[in-house]
Amino acid sequence: MTNYRIIDKVGMPHVLAYIAARLAAYDTTRLDWIKLLPLSRKALLHGACHFPFRTPASAPAFVHGYRIRASVNVEQPPPFTYTHWARIPKPDSRRGWVSGEHEFRFADLEECALHTLAHECFHFLSDSAQLAERNTEANANWWADAWLEDFQVSARAAGPGAEAGPGKPIGAQKSATLRPVFSSIREQSRGSPR
């Protein structure tokens, strides 16, 4: 059970269950909701993480908490590609990578939705000081790539037709493996220069 609302207007409950399972390792008390919506424009995807704010700025309470939204175009045919900022490997740079444009490819709309939600979750986690990584687009896509890879591996291990998330065949496997994956990502995050 989560302390935030989960709204699915696209029909991908296993994607949202996976995201909720991944967020279980973090403090979500200031997260109001996560929404997955259909996109009605020509773009493949759109995401947003709205940060809490006060009105006026000196007010003691926030008007709202963090709000995560991802939209995917359910009418767009394959291929599912999207160009955005990423960590581009560059061995001679201080961090071993530079921020640059990259074309992301998704096998289906579920992968697209998961990557978009994971990207926005990074913005929430980074802004709420739960990650050491700077809140940049390249870092958000790096984070989303890791979650997507775990989602893909778990789906392959569970077999065709299995769904990700708690209480599902794939979810039982994930519950035992999520925390080590999170720990690994967090340690990488803390150990790498910004």
Side-chain angles (χ1 to χ4, degrees), residues 127-140:
D127 186 73
S128 61
Q130 298 186 63
L131 300 175
E133 293 294 326
R134 284 182 44 215
N135 197 359
T136 67
E137 294 301 301
N139 285 339

Side-chain angles (χ1 to χ4, degrees), residues 32-176:
D32 287 348
W33 43 251
I34 296 177
K35 290 183 180 180
L36 181 56
L37 306 170
L39 187 62
S40 59
R41 49 179 140 154
K42 292 184 180 183
L44 172 63
L45 60 90
H46 184 264
C49 177
H50 297 278
F51 298 157
F53 70 92
R54 293 180 169 106
T55 302
S58 61
F62 287 98
V63 173
H64 67 72
Y66 290 92
R67 296 178 172 181
I68 295 172
R69 178 184 44 78
S71 302
V72 293
N73 190 329
V74 295
E75 296 179 4
Q76 185 170 331
F80 303 113
T81 62
Y82 183 72
T83 302
H84 204 242
W85 294 102
R87 287 183 172 190
I88 307 299
K90 187 173 181 190
D92 60 337
S93 79
R94 176 175 59 89
R95 299 174 294 198
W97 59 272
V98 295
S99 182
E101 283 193 356
H102 174 74
E103 184 176 75
F104 294 89
R105 295 181 173 273
F106 307 108
D108 54 36
L109 282 177
E110 291 176 353
E111 287 189 2
C112 177
L114 189 121
H115 194 276
T116 306
L117 284 167
H119 174 107
E120 300 308 330
C121 286
F122 175 87
H123 289 308
F124 154 62
L125 295 168
S126 181
D127 186 73
S128 61
Q130 298 186 63
L131 300 175
E133 293 294 326
R134 284 182 44 215
N135 197 359
T136 67
E137 294 301 301
N139 285 339
N141 283 320
W142 164 77
W143 185 264
D145 284 345
W147 282 22
L148 178 58
E149 182 178 343
D150 181 62
F151 181 79
Q152 292 166 331
V153 167
S154 298
R156 282 193 299 273
E163 295 182 356
K168 304 290 184 198
I170 194 169
Q173 173 197 356
K174 281 190 179 306
S175 63

